[in-house]
DNA sequence: GGTGTCATGTAAACAGTTACATGATTTT
DNA sequence: AAAATCATGTAACTGTTTACATGACACC
């Protein structure tokens, strides 16, 4: 799945500039791209070429000109047909597991410190996600069903990290017991 | 984290050829790389240049020559120092969440089919992971602690997919209730 | 006077995938 | 006769990140 579809999705809720999209994607817990300029501005050019969006240049006195992008009918059709596409499995890339796989070289204290460090990272990540959710920069609420879905989507990520947290806590406890 | 460290880890258990490493990584549930040739053969050249591995060419009568790679002392030191490195957060890239975020265009039946398709994908993935585990192509068992860690590592991935499965099942049920 | 926001973009590099290429042997 | 296994490698492409570049205004 490409970032272009996420961009189309956002534009289906509101016309936006590249800069707006960057911020929305950066702040999103669900859209996992970093929100770097390179990808966004290039994607917008491509979407324009494909006729899935249009843009209107807005000159401003005391700031750089804006390009406000709007989704086209063709873009909305594309978004709809993508929604019916077979879902992809999540990509779970946990480099920590590979690290732990060869952590038997460590002393019991070093190993516990490693596990604790992971636990702390996860805790911080959960706080960060909750803070992002609290700020709630962007969320469409067109229907009650959409609101419900967005709540469950937000939960998903946080609860995945919580699950990981429980996993590491159990290991630490079991290792302490010996 | 780079695939080179995973390769070093495998070589710390047993000398292997590029082809062996490819199969081990492909069959691993934890080492998430696809195991494509390009990455593996390039990494081996780089590890050789860095002096972290050595290789011995073994000519064979009726098959192509093998290059058997062995970890060096420098390589083992590198592996050990990496084990002490601060852990990275898992990367959870769930394109399905982005898809679901704009799935309000769908009818109730279409939405349920989408969720069901995800559920089925997850179920198949879990079976595949369990099958991989059953085959158990590769697992070091040097100490009881290492055996324990490898069990927990294997569990991690499967249980993450199970967690995802529960999440989607709950949504389907709640949507049915309305 | 420095930092942050708004707003556009480019360059260079790295990571990772699919597909191609060769060639012998073994299995179906 | 076709496909899989062993074993090496390369080419082309996509995706993604970090950093660079510009320029005005606002806030502390």
């Amino acid at each position: 799945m490409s970032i272009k579809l996420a961009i189309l999705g956002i534009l289906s809720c509101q016309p936006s500039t590249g800069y707006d999209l960057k911020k929305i994607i950066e702040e999103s817990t669900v859209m996992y791209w970093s929100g770097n300029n390179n990808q966004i501005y290039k994607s917008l050019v491509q979407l324009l070429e494909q006729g899935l969006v249009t843009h209107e240049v807005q000159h401003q006195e005391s700031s750089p000109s804006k390009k406000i992008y709007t989704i086209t009918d063709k873009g909305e059709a594309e978004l709809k047909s993508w929604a019916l596409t077979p879902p992809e499995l999540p990509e779970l890339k946990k480099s920590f597991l590979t690290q732990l796989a060869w952590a038997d070289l460590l002393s019991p204290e070093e190993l516990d410190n490693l596990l604790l460090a992971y636990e702390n990272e996860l805790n911080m990540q959960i706080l960060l996600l909750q803070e992002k959710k609290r700020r709630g920069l962007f969320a469409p609420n067109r229907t009650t069903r959409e609101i419900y879905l967005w709540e469950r989507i937000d939960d998903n990520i946080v609860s995945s990290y919580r699950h990981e947290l429980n996993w590491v806590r159990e290991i630490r406890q079991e290792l302490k017991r010996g």
Side-chain angles (χ1 to χ4, degrees), chain A:
Chain A
M1 188 223 147
S2 127
I3 194 174
K4 284 194 232 171
L5 290 159
I7 291 174
L8 276 186
I10 298 168
L11 293 179
S12 79
C13 300
Q14 49 177 250
S16 311
T17 65
Y19 188 74
D20 294 333
L21 292 167
K22 179 193 162 82
K23 278 188 305 176
I24 290 168
I25 291 171
E26 260 174 1
E27 278 294 291
S28 167
T29 58
V30 171
M31 292 177 280
Y32 48 80
W33 301 271
S34 72
N36 67 99
N37 295 354
N38 207 323
Q39 247 181 315
I40 289 169
Y41 288 110
K42 268 186 191 165
S43 298
L44 284 171
V45 169
Q46 286 166 20
L47 288 170
L48 207 58
E49 281 167 5
Q50 292 174 267
L52 305 174
V53 302
T54 50
H55 74 304
E56 188 199 343
V57 182
Q58 200 176 86
H59 294 283
Q60 296 172 119
E61 319 95 41
S62 62
S63 324
S65 311
K66 273 183 183 180
K67 287 183 184 169
I68 300 168
Y69 288 86
T70 310
I71 195 166
T72 62
D73 289 348
K74 200 177 161 191
E76 285 195 17
E78 180 68 23
L79 193 60
K80 199 163 190 170
S81 87
W82 170 58
L84 286 165
T85 269
E88 288 169 35
L89 282 170
E91 275 175 58
L92 310 177
K93 297 194 175 178
K94 308 191 183 185
S95 75
F96 181 69
L97 295 183
T98 309
Q99 190 172 2
L100 195 59
W102 285 284
D104 201 52
L105 307 145
L106 304 181
S107 72
E109 293 75 29
E110 285 173 325
L111 179 57
D112 189 63
N113 281 337
L114 184 66
L115 291 164
L116 179 59
Y118 191 52
E119 198 179 316
N120 289 336
E121 277 289 300
L122 289 168
N123 266 318
M124 281 192 287
Q125 176 71 354
I126 289 165
L127 287 175
L128 196 133
L129 290 172
Q130 285 172 336
E131 174 58 20
K132 274 187 180 181
K133 192 179 171 184
R134 202 191 54 73
R135 275 201 297 273
L137 229 181
F138 176 81
N141 48 351
R142 295 173 285 196
T143 67
T144 49
R145 191 179 64 166
E146 189 170 53
I147 293 167
Y148 168 73
L149 284 176
W150 273 70
E151 268 169 34
R152 304 313 321 258
I153 290 167
D154 264 333
D155 286 347
N156 180 291
I157 298 289
V158 176
S159 93
S160 293
Y161 281 105
R162 285 228 185 83
H163 188 252
E164 193 76 7
L165 193 57
N166 289 335
W167 174 83
V168 71
R169 279 182 180 154
E170 271 175 38
I171 295 180
R172 287 186 65 216
Q173 278 180 9
E174 283 184 66
L175 283 174
K176 263 175 201 161
R177 272 188 242 123

